[in-house]
Structure formats: C-alpha cells, structure tokens
C-alpha cells in the first residue's frame, strides 16, 4: 500500500472550493491528524495538536477508481480530475468541536464524513463513552439537517464512515464489535439525553414540545436500542471499516479509500 500512497498527490490550501469534500471528525487521539499527515507527506510524521481545521487536497490513490469514472481510463483528464478531493481535519478537542458542528450545519460540497475511532480505546468505558457522545451529536446534527430541510426532495445524503483505526494494536476491537459497542453506548446517550430534557422541563408545557423532543431523539422513535441502520431514514448511511494509519506490519487504509472512491 505504501507505493499507492506515494502516488497521492497532496498540497495545502489554494484548492478550488468546488471539489468534493470529506470531513475528518472524531475524538482527540483517534488518528485524524496521522491520517491526514500520512496522506499529505507520504510518510508518518509526528502529529501536532490540531487547534483549527486544516484542509488539504488529496488525490485518490492508484488502485481505487472513482465511481463516476468506472467507464473512463486512467490518463483521461476527466478521470484524473475525478480523483481529486478535499480532506478537512476538524479539531477533536472538546472545546474546539464547534468547528466540526458548524461545518455540519452548512456542509457545502460535503460528500461524506469520516469519523475516526480508536478501536482500542472503545474497548473500555471512558473512551467508548466519549466517542459515543461525540458520534451521537454528529449523527443528530446530520439528522436535523435532513429532517429540517425545506425542499420536498430533501438535501443530499451525507454518509458516514466510521474508520475503526489502530487495528494493529492487539487491544483493538474488530470492526463488528466496534459497531456493536458504539450502538450500545449511543443507546445510552440517547436515553440519558431524553431524560435530561424531561427533567429540565424543556419538554413540558407548550404544544410543540413533543415535536422538539422528537427532534432531539436520534434515529427512529421507540425506546429500544439504537442501531446505525436507523440513520437511513435520515439520509445517512453508516458503515464501519477497520484500518490502521501507522504501526503493525504496514499501513492499511485501503477500505477507507475504497469508501471514498465510491462517493467520487
Ligand atoms: P487526532 O487527535 O485524531 O488527530 O490523533 P493523532 O493523529 O494525533 O493520533 C494520536 C496518536 O495515535 C498518535 O500518537 C499517532 O501516532 C497514534 N496513531 C494514529 N493512528 C494509529 C494506528 O493506526 N495505530 C497505532 N498504533 N497508533 C496510531
């Protein structure tokens, strides 16, 4: 895969705003900057603490075909153009998350969201709960955007890739367990949020309160458990794919690029 990454052609800024954009979101330490750095410098360098969004222009690596170019040949200018996209790294630190959420409220050109998860840290409570709370808020923002849209057609769908990173660590959960853990933890977030609203009196009184409550409820109604499949209703497909940006016996992020390729 390294030779593939060598072909990635990346440079900072000066990128036309019309390019398809992918947001990198996730808690601190998940590996967002490492992924961006890997792509940008073609080698893993020391990461910095990101305090502001950073946009880079990326080229889909060789070996992946943009879905819009399946009938074109490599070398064709239209093919080459279709491989270009923007990656926006958003700060994962709690106090800086408004960058990510404000971008979600007005997501021009956003084709998809890559939510990076540390697959080892979600094996235990603190990491799992922090990740689930953040993911819950991101999904709720997408749901509100979708259901609040004025047009009858609804806004364009924005799918989410949960990039289960650090698969090289033996403490990392496999992708199917990352999915189950997150669904379970998001069910809890959803429940405690609903209870919080009720207790604070937000949902008592005026007539449209039932509606408000509904808007704050992620996924389908009902008190049961949350599953990512419920997000389909809100135009948001969610998939979980494993990978590792550094370490182990080589870098493995091919599944993530394949997901991006399908949206280009
Ligand atoms: P960010 O806060 O999401 O931007 O996370 P960083 O990119 O700064 O990564 C946090 C730490 O995790 C760094 O020390 C990275 O080297 C490390 N890291 C990132 N990806 C992987 C991976 O796939 N495997 C392992 N073992 N460590 C990783």
């Amino acid at each position: 895969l390294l030779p593939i990454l060598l072909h990635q052609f990346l440079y900072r800024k000066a990128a036309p705003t019309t390019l398809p954009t992918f947001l990198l979101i996730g808690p601190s330490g998940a590996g967002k900057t490492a992924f961006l750095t890997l792509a940008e410098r073609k080698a893993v360098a020391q990461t910095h603490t990101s305090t502001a969004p950073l946009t880079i222009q990326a080229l889909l690596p060789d070996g992946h075909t943009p879905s819009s170019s399946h009938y074109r040949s490599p070398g064709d200018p239209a093919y080459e153009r279709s491989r270009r996209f923007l990656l926006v790294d958003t700060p994962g630190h709690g106090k800086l998350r408004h960058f990510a959420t404000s971008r979600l409220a007005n997501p021009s050109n956003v084709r998809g969201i890559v939510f990076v998860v540390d697959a080892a840290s979600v094996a235990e409570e603190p990491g799992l709960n922090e990740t689930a709370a953040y993911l819950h808020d991101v999904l709720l923002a997408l749901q509100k955007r979708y259901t609040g849209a004025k047009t009858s057609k609804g806004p364009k769908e924005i799918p989410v890739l949960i990039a289960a990173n650090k698969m090289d660590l033996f403490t990392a959960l496999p992708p199917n367990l990352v999915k189950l853990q997150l669904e379970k933890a998001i069910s809890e977030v959803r429940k405690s949020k609903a209870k919080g609203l009720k207790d604070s009196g937000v949902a008592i009184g005026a007539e449209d309160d039932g509606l408000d409550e509904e808007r704050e409820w992620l996924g389908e109604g009902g008190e049961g458990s949350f599953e990512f499949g419920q997000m389909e209703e809100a135009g948001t497909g969610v998939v979980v794919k494993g990978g590792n940006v550094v370490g182990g016996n080589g870098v493995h992020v091919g599944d993530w690029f394949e997901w991006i390729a399908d949206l280009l």
Side-chain angles (χ1 to χ4, degrees):
L1 191 55
L2 265 181
I4 292 174
L5 291 163
L6 280 174
H7 281 92
Q8 279 191 289
F9 191 71
L10 299 154
Y11 46 93
R12 268 168 212 265
K13 238 184 94 67
T17 49
T18 50
L19 282 180
T21 299
F22 293 84
L23 302 183
L24 275 177
I25 302 185
S28 276
K32 298 178 298 299
T33 313
F35 181 50
L36 206 84
T37 307
L38 167 83
E40 187 180 34
R41 306 221 181 96
K42 299 140 195 153
V44 180
Q46 283 248 304
T47 64
H48 64 283
T49 304
S50 32
T51 53
L54 171 67
T55 301
I56 60 146
Q57 195 179 127
L59 199 74
L60 192 68
D62 284 348
H64 301 279
T65 307
S67 72
S68 61
S69 282
H70 271 298
Y71 301 102
R72 297 196 178 104
S73 353
D76 176 338
Y79 181 96
E80 297 307 324
R81 260 197 311 278
S82 70
R83 294 169 64 196
R84 287 159 57 192
F85 63 96
L86 300 181
L87 262 183
V88 180
D89 183 20
T90 62
H93 187 277
K95 286 185 181 144
L96 299 165
R97 281 179 189 169
H98 65 272
F99 281 117
T101 30
S102 66
R103 197 64 208 262
L104 284 178
N106 185 22
S108 60
N109 294 321
V110 174
R111 278 300 156 86
I113 289 169
V114 179
F115 190 95
V116 185
V117 168
D118 178 336
S121 95
V122 295
E124 293 180 30
E125 284 245 308
L128 175 63
N129 292 342
E130 198 214 343
T131 305
Y134 194 6
L135 182 54
H136 170 279
D137 291 355
V138 167
L139 294 178
L140 188 59
L142 287 173
Q143 175 178 302
K144 283 182 180 172
R145 166 188 168 270
Y146 194 82
T147 54
K150 299 280 184 291
T151 62
S152 57
K153 265 185 73 190
K156 252 180 126 58
E157 307 192 346
I158 298 184
V160 176
L161 167 68
I162 297 175
N165 191 28
K166 309 198 185 183
M167 284 297 153
D168 56 297
L169 300 178
F170 80 98
T171 47
L173 297 180
N176 63 319
L177 285 187
V178 169
K179 176 171 182 280
L180 288 176
Q181 286 277 90
L182 286 174
E183 286 178 334
K184 212 166 59 181
I186 288 176
S187 301
E188 290 306 314
V189 173
R190 192 165 77 157
K191 231 191 289 175
S192 66
K193 285 222 165 169
K195 187 172 183 306
L197 280 180
K198 231 179 229 153
D199 290 353
S200 70
V202 169
I204 306 167
E207 265 182 43
D208 61 345
D209 278 341
L211 234 178
D212 280 351
E213 202 179 351
E214 188 126 301
R215 275 197 210 117
E216 295 299 324
W217 182 259
L218 181 68
E220 284 161 5
E223 308 272 291
S225 42
F226 173 79
E227 287 169 20
F228 289 124
Q230 295 170 10
M231 294 304 299
E232 297 282 351
E233 291 274 299
T236 305
V238 183
V239 294
V240 184
K241 289 180 188 297
N244 62 281
V245 180
V246 298
N249 48 0
V251 168
H252 297 282
V253 286
D255 284 353
W256 304 353
F257 280 126
E258 199 49 40
W259 181 86
I260 289 172
D262 281 345
L263 294 165
L264 288 178

